[in-house]
Amino acid sequence: MSTSLMWFRRDLRLRDHPALHEAASRGPVLPLFVVDPSMWGPAGRAKTAWLAATLRALDASLDGRLVIRLGDPADVVPRVAREVGATSVHVSRESEPGGVERDRRVVAALRELGVEGVTTGSPYAVDPGSVRTKGGTPFKVFTPFAAAWREHGWDEPLDAPRGVEWVEADDDGRVAAMLDRAERECPIDLPAAGEDAARRRWERFRDGALADYAHDRDLPAVEGTSRMSADLHLGVVHPRQLLADLRGARGDGAETYRTELAWREFYADVLWANPDSAHEDLRPLPLRYDEPQDAIEAWREGRTGYPIVDAGMRQLLGEGWMHNRVRMVTASFLTKDLHVWWPLGAQHFLDHLLDGDLASNNHGWQWVAGTGTDASPYFRVFNPVTQGKRFDPDGEYVRRWVPELAHLEGAAAHEPWKHDSGYAHGYPERVVDHAEERLEALARYDAAT
């Protein structure tokens, strides 16, 4: 039997891992992760720390056998394959444009060595590109995609492979130092990392907050979401595992959660069909954009003078996560109130979100900006005050993240300008007038359509 190399990427787990099963079926397996400097360098400190912690957890589950190397995968993967005499390299299918191009280069390098590249499975329940309209074209609208996605179905989750003979090799000493430093310098308190921790996190949600998820998921002051997005992003769990657990679950909560997983798969499918939409408008509009640097910086730091916006941006910096409802509000503020093209905000999110998934993040931004998949785009302008009062009616979320407003009780925290003591503790005044900027945004969209 020949040695196989299992190259881990967005699939940092042992359970329900088709590519790992395929590698193990061929003989001894070397588990490898490659730290690509081009990806590591630009990432925020919380993101690199989360990856480091997750790699540590995967290594522990492999009894210290995970081989971690630093460099361009097109150089590193063939080199390691040659070192251990591997005849095949196994991966989960990549669908993001950068990953597709990287894999093309790696396969070309492996071919020169006579090593087979084998792709099995993907990070999604249904591989991007598998679901099509009756005319054979990709879906452009979520609802019919979701129906076809459910009808297509998915395989049952797999257990971790048993009796694997793991091959050992040396790590790159530079990588160990990088991982140590990333965890040591992490600016936030990370959640527990790894497959077992993710499973416990899921089970707590499944047995608790799932029942009220359909309602509570929109309330940022309530722990009503699963917090599984960061685990899904690194493939510590597979969506197929969550869907299997939801089978037979009754009520609006389970159905709504399935729909949220379908949104994640829809955006991956959209990106697969439209690679340029990673960083460009899916549906371009000739809009006029501004670059108000001071206001952009205020947005990044949570100093816009709009409490729900500032609370969300500070949560992003403080937790490496932001409540989904607030993501929409903060994105709308940047694109509709400050008139900034969405890629600037999308990149800021990707730099700081532990769950910063390219397809979901960037297409979510386009949904808000009105240049993405939504059929009724531009006239949706989120009012930050109305949104705050509706979804954070007691002001609890705002006071948690904006201590300058902790003295304002209830909904007063959403409108400090209406209270004599609203600015008593240094909260900034509004950088723009929302009512005026809403009209300006609508005028610009009208001129562009």
Side-chain angles (χ1 to χ4, degrees):
M1 299 181 74
S2 57
T3 296
S4 298
L5 191 156
M6 177 64 225
W7 177 20
F8 289 91
R9 291 100 66 86
R10 290 195 292 157
D11 49 4
L12 304 183
R13 65 185 185 279
L14 300 183
R15 302 183 190 95
D16 194 21
H17 201 313
L20 178 57
H21 273 270
E22 178 61 26
S25 72
R26 301 192 180 199
V29 177
L30 175 79
L32 172 71
F33 185 88
V34 181
V35 177
D36 186 341
S38 69
M39 302 295 291
W40 179 275
R45 289 190 298 158
K47 289 196 72 169
T48 55
W50 177 240
L51 174 59
T54 304
L55 288 173
R56 299 283 196 209
L58 178 60
D59 186 44
S61 70
L62 289 165
D63 295 327
R65 296 188 182 93
L66 180 64
V67 176
I68 307 178
R69 297 285 182 91
L70 175 68
D72 183 341
D75 297 327
V76 174
V77 174
R79 185 187 313 133
V80 176
R82 187 170 55 245
E83 283 179 20
V84 299
T87 58
S88 59
V89 173
H90 297 260
V91 296
S92 300
R93 179 193 183 203
E94 184 55 82
S95 56
E96 293 182 352
V100 171
E101 172 57 21
R102 175 203 61 205
D103 288 359
R104 184 196 64 77
R105 294 190 301 115
V106 171
V107 168
L110 290 173
R111 190 177 296 119
E112 292 184 3
L113 298 176
V115 177
E116 181 186 11
V118 183
T119 301
T120 313
S122 82
Y124 302 97
V126 177
D127 288 0
S130 300
V131 176
R132 287 292 181 261
T133 67
K134 292 181 179 179
T137 59
F139 282 96
K140 297 180 179 180
V141 179
F142 172 71
T143 301
F145 169 86
W149 175 79
R150 289 170 187 261
E151 183 177 351
H152 181 282
W154 39 83
D155 294 333
E156 287 295 305
L158 300 166
D159 292 330
R162 297 176 180 273
V164 180
E165 181 183 345
W166 299 106
V167 176
E168 298 188 30
D170 293 333
D171 281 336
D172 185 328
R174 296 171 297 169
V175 179
M178 287 173 60
L179 299 182
D180 287 341
R181 184 167 60 253
E183 290 194 83
R184 187 171 61 251
E185 296 178 356
C186 182
I188 66 173
D189 292 331
L190 291 172
E195 198 168 357
D196 291 339
R199 187 67 198 178
R200 291 191 295 271
R201 197 156 32 244
W202 166 249
E203 289 174 351
R204 283 196 301 271
F205 170 76
R206 181 198 63 194
D207 298 339
L210 176 63
D212 297 315
Y213 176 73
H215 175 265
D216 287 355
R217 71 191 179 100
D218 271 327
L219 307 177
V222 175
E223 288 296 326
T225 65
S226 69
R227 295 286 189 122
M228 295 301 296
S229 53
D231 297 305
L232 285 165
H233 172 56
L234 292 182
V236 180
V237 296
H238 195 281
R240 192 166 43 223
Q241 295 172 290
L242 308 186
L243 288 163
D245 263 12
L246 291 172
R247 187 189 301 115
R250 305 296 182 185
D252 293 341
E255 183 58 28
T256 302
Y257 198 89
R258 289 188 196 95
T259 300
E260 291 302 304
L261 290 174
W263 271 107
R264 180 177 181 269
E265 308 238 334
F266 173 59
Y267 282 145
D269 196 76
V270 170
L271 182 58
W272 172 253
N274 306 274
D276 290 345
S277 69
H279 303 291
E280 301 285 342
D281 293 311
L282 181 67
R283 296 189 302 116
L285 290 174
L287 284 165
R288 178 167 59 87
Y289 295 107
D290 297 340
E291 297 181 8
Q293 295 303 321
D294 289 346
I296 290 171
E297 198 59 29
W299 176 82
R300 284 177 171 144
E301 296 177 357
R303 298 184 292 100
T304 67
Y306 285 91
I308 193 71
V309 174
D310 294 341
M313 298 307 294
R314 295 184 193 189
Q315 183 182 31
L316 173 62
L317 298 178
E319 289 190 348
W321 186 82
M322 189 194 301
H323 189 277
N324 188 61
R325 168 58 57 174
V326 188
R327 294 188 197 199
M328 291 188 284
V329 176
T330 56
S332 179
F333 189 85
L334 185 71
T335 57
K336 303 291 178 65
D337 287 67
L338 301 184
H339 315 295
V340 174
W341 194 32
W342 64 266
L344 183 147
Q347 188 59 54
H348 182 73
F349 274 28
L350 287 175
D351 287 343
H352 294 282
L353 286 169
L354 302 185
D355 64 6
D357 176 86
L358 179 66
S360 292
N361 181 72
N362 289 24
H363 287 106
W365 270 88
Q366 291 180 67
W367 182 89
V368 172
T371 59
T373 59
D374 196 358
S376 55
Y378 69 86
F379 52 80
R380 182 194 300 104
V381 181
F382 286 91
N383 183 317
V385 177
T386 302
Q387 290 283 308
K389 287 182 171 180
R390 179 179 177 186
F391 296 107
D392 184 33
D394 296 325
E396 180 182 346
Y397 176 73
V398 163
R399 283 188 293 276
R400 181 184 307 164
W401 289 103
V402 187
E404 306 99 297
L405 301 177
H407 63 291
L408 297 179
E409 298 182 358
H414 294 292
E415 298 176 289
W417 51 86
K418 287 188 174 182
H419 304 275
D420 292 340
S421 64
Y423 297 106
H425 298 283
Y427 186 64
E429 295 189 6
R430 291 167 285 182
V431 295
V432 294
D433 182 288
H434 170 72
E436 292 179 3
E437 301 308 331
R438 175 183 178 277
L439 294 176
E440 173 65 16
L442 293 176
R444 294 188 188 195
Y445 277 85
D446 279 337
T449 56

mmCIF file of all heavy atoms in Angstrom, residues 116-139:
data_model
loop_
_atom_site.group_PDB
_atom_site.id
_atom_site.type_symbol
_atom_site.label_atom_id
_atom_site.label_comp_id
_atom_site.label_asym_id
_atom_site.label_seq_id
_atom_site.Cartn_x
_atom_site.Cartn_y
_atom_site.Cartn_z
ATOM 1 N N GLU A 116 -0.493 11.796 -7.924
ATOM 2 C CA GLU A 116 -1.898 12.033 -8.256
ATOM 3 C C GLU A 116 -2.533 13.020 -7.279
ATOM 4 O O GLU A 116 -2.324 12.944 -6.069
ATOM 5 C CB GLU A 116 -2.667 10.704 -8.194
ATOM 6 C CG GLU A 116 -4.136 10.822 -8.538
ATOM 7 C CD GLU A 116 -4.888 9.516 -8.333
ATOM 8 O OE1 GLU A 116 -4.300 8.583 -7.724
ATOM 9 O OE2 GLU A 116 -6.057 9.433 -8.761
ATOM 10 N N GLY A 117 -3.292 13.970 -7.807
ATOM 11 C CA GLY A 117 -4.100 14.859 -6.976
ATOM 12 C C GLY A 117 -5.530 14.369 -6.945
ATOM 13 O O GLY A 117 -6.142 14.179 -8.004
ATOM 14 N N VAL A 118 -6.073 14.133 -5.747
ATOM 15 C CA VAL A 118 -7.402 13.533 -5.609
ATOM 16 C C VAL A 118 -8.308 14.473 -4.808
ATOM 17 O O VAL A 118 -7.965 14.869 -3.691
ATOM 18 C CB VAL A 118 -7.330 12.167 -4.903
ATOM 19 C CG1 VAL A 118 -8.716 11.522 -4.841
ATOM 20 C CG2 VAL A 118 -6.339 11.250 -5.594
ATOM 21 N N THR A 119 -9.442 14.822 -5.379
ATOM 22 C CA THR A 119 -10.408 15.702 -4.721
ATOM 23 C C THR A 119 -11.633 14.898 -4.325
ATOM 24 O O THR A 119 -12.219 14.200 -5.161
ATOM 25 C CB THR A 119 -10.823 16.848 -5.657
ATOM 26 O OG1 THR A 119 -9.666 17.592 -6.034
ATOM 27 C CG2 THR A 119 -11.820 17.766 -4.972
ATOM 28 N N THR A 120 -12.018 14.975 -3.057
ATOM 29 C CA THR A 120 -13.182 14.245 -2.552
ATOM 30 C C THR A 120 -13.933 15.147 -1.577
ATOM 31 O O THR A 120 -13.357 15.629 -0.612
ATOM 32 C CB THR A 120 -12.773 12.955 -1.822
ATOM 33 O OG1 THR A 120 -11.825 12.237 -2.606
ATOM 34 C CG2 THR A 120 -13.997 12.078 -1.544
ATOM 35 N N GLY A 121 -15.215 15.379 -1.822
ATOM 36 C CA GLY A 121 -16.015 16.180 -0.912
ATOM 37 C C GLY A 121 -15.707 17.659 -1.034
ATOM 38 O O GLY A 121 -14.898 18.102 -1.850
ATOM 39 N N SER A 122 -16.386 18.467 -0.207
ATOM 40 C CA SER A 122 -16.213 19.920 -0.206
ATOM 41 C C SER A 122 -16.648 20.459 1.151
ATOM 42 O O SER A 122 -17.179 19.706 1.982
ATOM 43 C CB SER A 122 -17.045 20.549 -1.322
ATOM 44 O OG SER A 122 -18.395 20.721 -0.920
ATOM 45 N N PRO A 123 -16.470 21.750 1.407
ATOM 46 C CA PRO A 123 -16.935 22.311 2.677
ATOM 47 C C PRO A 123 -18.450 22.493 2.767
ATOM 48 O O PRO A 123 -18.939 23.048 3.748
ATOM 49 C CB PRO A 123 -16.233 23.684 2.728
ATOM 50 C CG PRO A 123 -15.107 23.597 1.760
ATOM 51 C CD PRO A 123 -15.600 22.688 0.688
ATOM 52 N N TYR A 124 -19.188 22.025 1.769
ATOM 53 C CA TYR A 124 -20.623 22.281 1.703
ATOM 54 C C TYR A 124 -21.410 20.976 1.637
ATOM 55 O O TYR A 124 -20.908 19.954 1.176
ATOM 56 C CB TYR A 124 -20.937 23.158 0.487
ATOM 57 C CG TYR A 124 -20.177 24.463 0.542
ATOM 58 C CD1 TYR A 124 -18.973 24.615 -0.164
ATOM 59 C CD2 TYR A 124 -20.617 25.517 1.328
ATOM 60 C CE1 TYR A 124 -18.246 25.796 -0.091
ATOM 61 C CE2 TYR A 124 -19.897 26.699 1.416
ATOM 62 C CZ TYR A 124 -18.712 26.831 0.708
ATOM 63 O OH TYR A 124 -17.988 27.991 0.802
ATOM 64 N N ALA A 125 -22.648 21.033 2.093
ATOM 65 C CA ALA A 125 -23.507 19.857 2.029
ATOM 66 C C ALA A 125 -23.740 19.448 0.581
ATOM 67 O O ALA A 125 -23.764 18.262 0.247
ATOM 68 C CB ALA A 125 -24.835 20.149 2.736
ATOM 69 N N VAL A 126 -23.927 20.454 -0.275
ATOM 70 C CA VAL A 126 -24.083 20.233 -1.713
ATOM 71 C C VAL A 126 -22.966 21.014 -2.406
ATOM 72 O O VAL A 126 -22.875 22.235 -2.249
ATOM 73 C CB VAL A 126 -25.465 20.709 -2.206
ATOM 74 C CG1 VAL A 126 -25.580 20.545 -3.716
ATOM 75 C CG2 VAL A 126 -26.579 19.929 -1.502
ATOM 76 N N ASP A 127 -22.139 20.332 -3.162
ATOM 77 C CA ASP A 127 -21.007 21.008 -3.806
ATOM 78 C C ASP A 127 -21.490 22.159 -4.677
ATOM 79 O O ASP A 127 -22.456 22.004 -5.456
ATOM 80 C CB ASP A 127 -20.239 20.024 -4.693
ATOM 81 C CG ASP A 127 -19.450 19.016 -3.888
ATOM 82 O OD1 ASP A 127 -19.495 19.077 -2.647
ATOM 83 O OD2 ASP A 127 -18.794 18.157 -4.515
ATOM 84 N N PRO A 128 -20.848 23.322 -4.593
ATOM 85 C CA PRO A 128 -21.183 24.414 -5.511
ATOM 86 C C PRO A 128 -21.122 23.956 -6.962
ATOM 87 O O PRO A 128 -20.199 23.248 -7.369
ATOM 88 C CB PRO A 128 -20.103 25.462 -5.204
ATOM 89 C CG PRO A 128 -19.733 25.201 -3.776
ATOM 90 C CD PRO A 128 -19.802 23.708 -3.617
ATOM 91 N N GLY A 129 -22.122 24.357 -7.730
ATOM 92 C CA GLY A 129 -22.211 23.945 -9.121
ATOM 93 C C GLY A 129 -23.069 22.730 -9.351
ATOM 94 O O GLY A 129 -23.367 22.382 -10.503
ATOM 95 N N SER A 130 -23.510 22.069 -8.265
ATOM 96 C CA SER A 130 -24.295 20.831 -8.406
ATOM 97 C C SER A 130 -25.780 21.083 -8.623
ATOM 98 O O SER A 130 -26.478 20.240 -9.194
ATOM 99 C CB SER A 130 -24.121 19.961 -7.156
ATOM 100 O OG SER A 130 -22.779 19.611 -6.959
ATOM 101 N N VAL A 131 -26.275 22.217 -8.165
ATOM 102 C CA VAL A 131 -27.699 22.523 -8.253
ATOM 103 C C VAL A 131 -27.919 23.510 -9.393
ATOM 104 O O VAL A 131 -27.283 24.569 -9.425
ATOM 105 C CB VAL A 131 -28.227 23.104 -6.925
ATOM 106 C CG1 VAL A 131 -29.680 23.512 -7.059
ATOM 107 C CG2 VAL A 131 -28.047 22.098 -5.799
ATOM 108 N N ARG A 132 -28.809 23.176 -10.314
ATOM 109 C CA ARG A 132 -29.046 24.012 -11.477
ATOM 110 C C ARG A 132 -30.547 24.185 -11.728
ATOM 111 O O ARG A 132 -31.363 23.386 -11.283
ATOM 112 C CB ARG A 132 -28.405 23.391 -12.727
ATOM 113 C CG ARG A 132 -26.880 23.508 -12.736
ATOM 114 C CD ARG A 132 -26.482 24.975 -12.902
ATOM 115 N NE ARG A 132 -25.052 25.192 -12.954
ATOM 116 C CZ ARG A 132 -24.337 25.587 -11.919
ATOM 117 N NH1 ARG A 132 -24.915 25.747 -10.727
ATOM 118 N NH2 ARG A 132 -23.051 25.828 -12.048
ATOM 119 N N THR A 133 -30.871 25.236 -12.458
ATOM 120 C CA THR A 133 -32.254 25.441 -12.870
ATOM 121 C C THR A 133 -32.633 24.371 -13.890
ATOM 122 O O THR A 133 -31.779 23.627 -14.384
ATOM 123 C CB THR A 133 -32.429 26.828 -13.504
ATOM 124 O OG1 THR A 133 -31.696 26.858 -14.745
ATOM 125 C CG2 THR A 133 -31.913 27.931 -12.580
ATOM 126 N N LYS A 134 -33.914 24.317 -14.238
ATOM 127 C CA LYS A 134 -34.351 23.347 -15.243
ATOM 128 C C LYS A 134 -33.689 23.604 -16.589
ATOM 129 O O LYS A 134 -33.564 22.700 -17.410
ATOM 130 C CB LYS A 134 -35.872 23.391 -15.368
ATOM 131 C CG LYS A 134 -36.599 22.874 -14.125
ATOM 132 C CD LYS A 134 -38.104 22.908 -14.306
ATOM 133 C CE LYS A 134 -38.796 22.357 -13.056
ATOM 134 N NZ LYS A 134 -40.286 22.401 -13.182
ATOM 135 N N GLY A 135 -33.271 24.853 -16.804
ATOM 136 C CA GLY A 135 -32.574 25.182 -18.041
ATOM 137 C C GLY A 135 -31.087 24.909 -17.989
ATOM 138 O O GLY A 135 -30.371 25.181 -18.959
ATOM 139 N N GLY A 136 -30.613 24.398 -16.849
ATOM 140 C CA GLY A 136 -29.210 24.044 -16.724
ATOM 141 C C GLY A 136 -28.290 25.189 -16.356
ATOM 142 O O GLY A 136 -27.064 25.038 -16.414
ATOM 143 N N THR A 137 -28.860 26.315 -15.939
ATOM 144 C CA THR A 137 -28.051 27.476 -15.576
ATOM 145 C C THR A 137 -27.990 27.627 -14.053
ATOM 146 O O THR A 137 -28.840 27.096 -13.333
ATOM 147 C CB THR A 137 -28.647 28.753 -16.184
ATOM 148 O OG1 THR A 137 -29.991 28.923 -15.704
ATOM 149 C CG2 THR A 137 -28.664 28.657 -17.710
ATOM 150 N N PRO A 138 -27.004 28.363 -13.551
ATOM 151 C CA PRO A 138 -26.928 28.584 -12.106
ATOM 152 C C PRO A 138 -28.109 29.411 -11.613
ATOM 153 O O PRO A 138 -28.648 30.256 -12.347
ATOM 154 C CB PRO A 138 -25.615 29.361 -11.930
ATOM 155 C CG PRO A 138 -24.841 29.122 -13.183
ATOM 156 C CD PRO A 138 -25.851 28.947 -14.271
ATOM 157 N N PHE A 139 -28.494 29.178 -10.386
ATOM 158 C CA PHE A 139 -29.553 29.981 -9.788
ATOM 159 C C PHE A 139 -29.036 31.376 -9.456
ATOM 160 O O PHE A 139 -27.892 31.554 -9.027
ATOM 161 C CB PHE A 139 -30.064 29.313 -8.497
ATOM 162 C CG PHE A 139 -30.994 28.167 -8.742
ATOM 163 C CD1 PHE A 139 -30.516 26.862 -8.745
ATOM 164 C CD2 PHE A 139 -32.344 28.384 -8.963
ATOM 165 C CE1 PHE A 139 -31.369 25.794 -8.961
ATOM 166 C CE2 PHE A 139 -33.209 27.320 -9.188
ATOM 167 C CZ PHE A 139 -32.725 26.021 -9.194
#
